[in-house]
Amino acid sequence: MYRKSSKPLISAREINERLDTLGKDVAAFGCDIVITVLSGGFIFSADICKRIATPKLQLAFIRASSYGSGTESSGNLKITGLENIDIRGKKVLVIDDILDTGNTMFGIKQALAGMGAKEIKTCVLLDKPARRTADITADFAGFEIENKFVVGYGLDYAGDYRTFPEIWTMEEDDGK
């Protein structure tokens, strides 16, 4: 069992300030379509898209999951929603909440690679390189964090905590 830490790892103010600079970097890429990985990436994606707003920016959503209801990846990646997206000749930005082992983003990039995109870049709110097992690095990352289980700002623990405006760590509850 886990409980939320007593103070946030990253405050809402820190997130907003970082999004302003990250948004400028992402805007310079000039993507045609943003593909958001649901459900974790939706809050981050909405806030980044507001900062890179262009008249012809297309939005698409996919689901990719390897966690289920636990805190560790199962290693079995499931992607749905790609069948409805046309990326031929487009510059694609894939947005997700966290780059942890990298297996999810690596799998998504592999799936997109054969679909005819002009270019594919990745953007994550949190980068956790200590856990990386796949050969992938985010093109754009908000914050690098230690190997801790985190929630808030779209990230969840068994479906809870997603709507918190800050990032919190989850600590093992020793029952006290």
Side-chain angles (χ1 to χ4, degrees):
M1 197 71 175
Y2 288 87
R3 63 178 166 75
K4 182 176 69 66
S5 59
S6 60
K7 66 178 189 170
L9 177 67
I10 305 170
S11 72
R13 181 187 55 76
E14 290 172 302
I15 292 170
N16 281 320
E17 288 174 0
R18 178 65 181 119
L19 291 180
D20 287 340
T21 58
L22 187 61
K24 290 175 185 170
D25 294 341
V26 171
F29 169 52
C31 60
D32 301 307
I33 184 168
V34 170
I35 298 176
T36 301
V37 182
L38 298 174
S39 291
F42 87 100
I43 292 175
F44 176 52
S45 183
D47 287 346
I48 283 291
C49 286
K50 286 185 263 184
R51 287 164 169 86
I52 62 171
T54 62
K56 295 190 181 233
L57 182 63
Q58 296 177 1
L59 305 176
F61 304 91
I62 63 173
R63 290 194 178 273
S65 178
S66 62
Y67 278 84
S69 62
T71 61
E72 294 290 324
S73 174
S74 67
N76 298 320
L77 180 63
K78 295 176 186 167
I79 303 172
T80 57
L82 289 177
E83 64 279 1
N84 302 319
I85 303 170
D86 180 10
I87 61 170
R88 288 178 302 222
K90 295 178 181 171
K91 292 173 76 173
V92 177
L93 179 69
V94 180
I95 295 181
D96 201 0
D97 53 4
I98 190 167
L99 187 59
D100 191 335
T101 64
N103 294 325
T104 298
M105 190 64 81
F106 185 83
I108 291 168
K109 280 192 78 173
Q110 277 190 315
L112 293 173
M115 295 175 63
K118 180 178 181 180
E119 188 175 359
I120 302 167
K121 294 214 177 210
T122 59
C123 180
V124 296
L125 175 65
L126 302 175
D127 185 12
K128 195 188 296 186
R131 296 239 323 137
R132 195 87 72 246
T133 58
D135 185 19
I136 189 165
T137 303
D139 296 294
F140 306 101
F143 300 91
E144 185 174 306
I145 63 169
E146 295 178 16
N147 185 18
K148 297 189 181 278
F149 189 72
V150 292
V151 297
Y153 201 76
L155 294 107
D156 75 308
Y157 171 54
D160 297 333
Y161 303 101
R162 281 194 199 278
T163 58
F164 284 24
E166 314 85 7
I167 302 294
W168 300 80
T169 59
M170 295 299 285
E171 301 169 348
E172 288 195 57
D173 191 353
D174 57 11
K176 294 181 183 177

